[in-house]
Amino acid sequence: SELRRLLVHIWARIIPVDRSCQLDLIRDGGYKYFIHVLWTTAVKSDERSMAAFILSLICHNNKEGKEFCLKAAIISNCLAHLSDPDPILRQWLCLC
């Protein structure tokens, strides 16, 4: 779990600066990892918030990213988790 936290944190720092990573995460299927982190309720809410942030950036101005996330039912899953007590997670779920 410590490695997962580190990996999510690193990607949360990289993707806002280097948008070319969007395509790498889509092409390599890396976006699936962040979807898994986001839907695993046993994961801490700050990690889930970062995963939602990363997914929102993968979709931002990227048709292919949006298509993959839509196929993964990201919208319905975001809506299902909007009752989470963490306001930051709820915010990123809405933006995602």
Side-chain angles (χ1 to χ4, degrees):
S1 76
E2 187 63 33
L3 184 58
R4 180 191 62 235
R5 181 171 177 72
L6 182 61
L7 182 63
V8 172
H9 185 76
I10 288 170
W11 275 107
R13 299 291 182 218
I14 291 173
I15 200 166
V17 178
D18 184 4
R19 287 312 202 60
S20 67
C21 293
Q22 277 179 321
L23 299 176
D24 293 336
L25 287 172
I26 294 166
R27 189 176 336 111
D28 298 336
Y31 69 95
K32 294 175 187 175
Y33 175 78
F34 299 107
I35 290 172
H36 174 73
V37 169
L38 185 58
W39 306 147
T40 306
T41 55
V43 174
K44 293 180 180 180
S45 63
D46 63 329
E47 290 175 56
R48 293 172 62 211
S49 299
M50 284 189 279
F53 168 69
I54 292 166
L55 288 167
S56 68
L57 289 179
I58 288 172
C59 293
H60 184 70
N61 291 330
N62 188 329
K63 182 180 178 183
E64 193 175 359
K66 290 176 187 175
E67 289 174 2
F68 279 106
C69 286
L70 285 173
K71 287 179 187 175
I74 197 168
I75 293 174
S76 61
N77 285 316
C78 283
L79 292 173
H81 289 90
L82 281 178
S83 61
D84 193 275
D86 185 351
I88 302 297
L89 177 57
R90 288 193 314 265
Q91 173 187 352
W92 280 110
L93 288 171
C94 288
L95 292 171
C96 188

